[in-house]
């Protein structure tokens, strides 16, 4: 199957700093990538849809100025958590589908963010 | 708004048993349904994908069924092994638009040696 690589897998940062998470499709092109967040004992929740060459689409309740998304190429999307606070500590995961009629979603390994 | 429910929330079985995990969804206008496995602190591994026009998919000891009209899917695991211990997630992709995926909360499975 297609491979989606996410980096870093784990990050600890100080409150008030910004953290960037990368999501790469290694062997396919993806016009659209998705970013999810998972809090303990809760389901994965879609945060935003990353569109190559255009602005991301954010789900209701997700602050676009806090979670900056850049999808500069067909193989890379980045999520930047700005001015991180302890309540942003969570598991962040991205997914993508191959551009040509892809129906199966492939997921990255996820990033465990801890804000101290 | 699509809602996905998974029952049971947790399951513990002895090694070798066959088991069924259940997933239900409220909106039958789906594009496909996908079962994933998630190990603690790790990403998702895709297990089976069922298109909306299909009734079931099989891979090794796993069999997933889909009844779109009733909004149900089951994941059958035959001859369970300790290595099957993980959280199993059901995800439904809707039709149209950018095909948003909605996840269930998962079933945490423990297979006891």
């Amino acid at each position: 199957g297609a491979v989606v690589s996410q980096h870093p897998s784990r990050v600890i940062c100080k409150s008030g700093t910004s953290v960037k998470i990368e999501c790469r499709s290694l062997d396919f092109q993806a016009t659209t990538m998705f970013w999810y967040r998972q809090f303990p004992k809760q389901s994965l929740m879609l945060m935003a849809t990353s569109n190559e060459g255009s602005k991301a689409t954010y789900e209701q309740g997700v602050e676009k100025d806090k979670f900056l998304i850049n999808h500069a190429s067909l193989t890379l999307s980045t999520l930047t958590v700005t001015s991180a606070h302890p309540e942003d500590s969570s598991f962040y995961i991205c997914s993508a589908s191959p551009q040509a009629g892809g129906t199966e979603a492939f997921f990255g390994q996820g990033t465990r963010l801890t804000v101290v | 708004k699509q809602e996905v429910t998974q029952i049971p929330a947790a399951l513990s079985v002895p090694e070798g048993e066959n088991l069924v995990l259940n997933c239900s969804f409220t909106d039958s206008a789906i594009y496909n349904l996908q079962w994933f496995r998630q190990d603690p602190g790790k990403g998702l591994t895709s297990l089976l994908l069922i298109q909306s026009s299909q009734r079931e998919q099989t891979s090794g000891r796993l069999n997933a069924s889909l009844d779109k009209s009733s909004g149900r899917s089951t994941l059958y695991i035959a001859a369970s092994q300790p290595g099957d211990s993980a959280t199993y997630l059901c995800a439904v992709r809707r039709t149209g638009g950018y095909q948003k995926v909605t996840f269930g909360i998962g079933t945490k499975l423990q297979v006891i040696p």
Side-chain angles (χ1 to χ4, degrees):
Chain A
V3 178
V4 175
S5 176
Q6 193 172 334
H7 178 80
S9 59
R10 188 178 297 269
V11 59
I12 301 173
C13 70
K14 291 184 177 181
S15 184
T17 62
S18 295
V19 174
K20 180 185 285 188
I21 303 169
E22 292 187 348
C23 179
R24 293 180 184 273
S25 55
L26 297 186
D27 50 3
F28 66 95
Q29 293 183 330
T31 306
T32 304
M33 293 184 177
F34 302 90
W35 287 95
Y36 295 83
R37 179 170 53 184
Q38 184 180 38
F39 290 109
K41 298 184 179 180
Q42 294 187 26
S43 64
L44 283 158
M45 296 296 294
L46 180 66
M47 297 176 64
T49 302
S50 171
N51 303 297
E52 188 267 336
S54 64
K55 291 183 179 180
T57 304
Y58 290 82
E59 295 298 303
Q60 190 174 12
V62 178
E63 300 174 58
K64 63 180 181 181
D65 294 330
K66 181 168 185 62
F67 298 99
L68 300 180
I69 292 174
N70 184 284
H71 194 153
S73 76
L74 287 171
T75 59
L76 174 64
S77 175
T78 60
L79 168 68
T80 302
V81 183
T82 62
S83 186
H85 289 102
E87 56 265 32
D88 298 324
S89 298
S90 185
F91 185 70
Y92 294 85
I93 193 165
C94 68
S95 80
S97 295
Q99 188 177 10
T103 61
E104 185 172 357
F106 295 93
F107 284 78
Q109 306 93 319
T111 298
R112 173 70 60 188
L113 170 64
T114 303
V115 184
V116 298
Chain B
K1 178 184 175 185
Q2 178 74 273
E3 293 183 4
V4 179
T5 304
Q6 289 187 246
I7 296 173
L11 182 63
S12 183
V13 300
E15 181 178 2
E17 265 201 15
N18 303 324
L19 58 102
V20 175
L21 307 181
N22 297 290
C23 171
S24 62
F25 47 94
T26 56
D27 186 348
S28 62
I30 67 170
Y31 191 78
N32 61 36
L33 183 146
Q34 200 165 353
W35 283 92
F36 294 90
R37 168 187 174 137
Q38 184 177 29
D39 292 285
K42 300 291 181 62
L44 303 182
T45 301
S46 178
L47 299 174
L48 289 165
L49 171 72
I50 310 177
Q51 301 295 350
S52 62
S53 59
Q54 297 175 326
R55 297 283 292 182
E56 67 176 335
Q57 283 288 332
T58 299
S59 176
R61 294 183 294 110
L62 306 179
N63 175 276
S65 68
L66 173 64
D67 184 343
K68 200 172 68 168
S69 60
S70 67
R72 296 178 188 277
S73 176
T74 61
L75 178 66
Y76 175 82
I77 302 177
S80 59
Q81 302 172 358
D84 295 332
S85 298
T87 296
Y88 291 81
L89 300 173
C90 167
V92 175
R93 178 174 284 195
R94 74 178 185 192
T95 58
Y98 55 79
Q99 300 183 347
K100 177 180 176 178
V101 175
T102 303
F103 282 85
I105 199 169
T107 294
K108 187 173 183 178
L109 172 65
Q110 182 182 24
V111 180
I112 303 168

